[in-house]
Amino acid sequence: SKTTIPKTFEFDQDSGLLFIPPGYANGAINLEENCKIIYFSSLNLEDSINDDFRFPSQYWDPWADYSPQLYE
């Protein structure tokens, strides 16, 4: 729903993992240079192709608090 309020989480080098249940949209942005975001999936690559739903990056726009200039 467009009216859903996104939940945000900030991680650092000592943070653990974040589990995102099936059916939830997710996205990420690096707040520092030279950082990596690693995604793990419960699906293999072949099955994940059918589970790839895209939303415009500013659909809920949680990025505005971090980077008003979001590049697509």
Side-chain angles (χ1 to χ4, degrees):
S1 167
K2 181 76 170 158
T3 61
T4 299
I5 298 172
K7 293 183 181 179
T8 60
F9 302 89
E10 287 190 29
F11 291 90
D12 62 23
Q13 64 187 10
D14 298 320
S15 297
L17 299 173
L18 174 65
F19 173 74
I20 302 168
Y24 283 78
N26 66 83
I29 186 172
N30 280 335
L31 301 178
E32 297 181 20
E33 292 185 29
N34 300 317
C35 292
K36 293 181 182 179
I37 299 173
I38 301 172
Y39 288 91
F40 298 95
S41 175
S42 58
L43 300 175
N44 62 41
L45 284 176
E46 185 176 307
D47 292 338
S48 69
I49 292 170
N50 298 319
D51 190 42
D52 188 13
F53 302 95
R54 304 284 173 141
F55 294 91
S57 61
Q58 296 179 355
Y59 188 80
W60 290 282
D61 204 17
W63 321 110
D65 292 340
Y66 302 101
S67 178
Q69 299 286 332
L70 182 67
Y71 300 97
E72 307 239 359

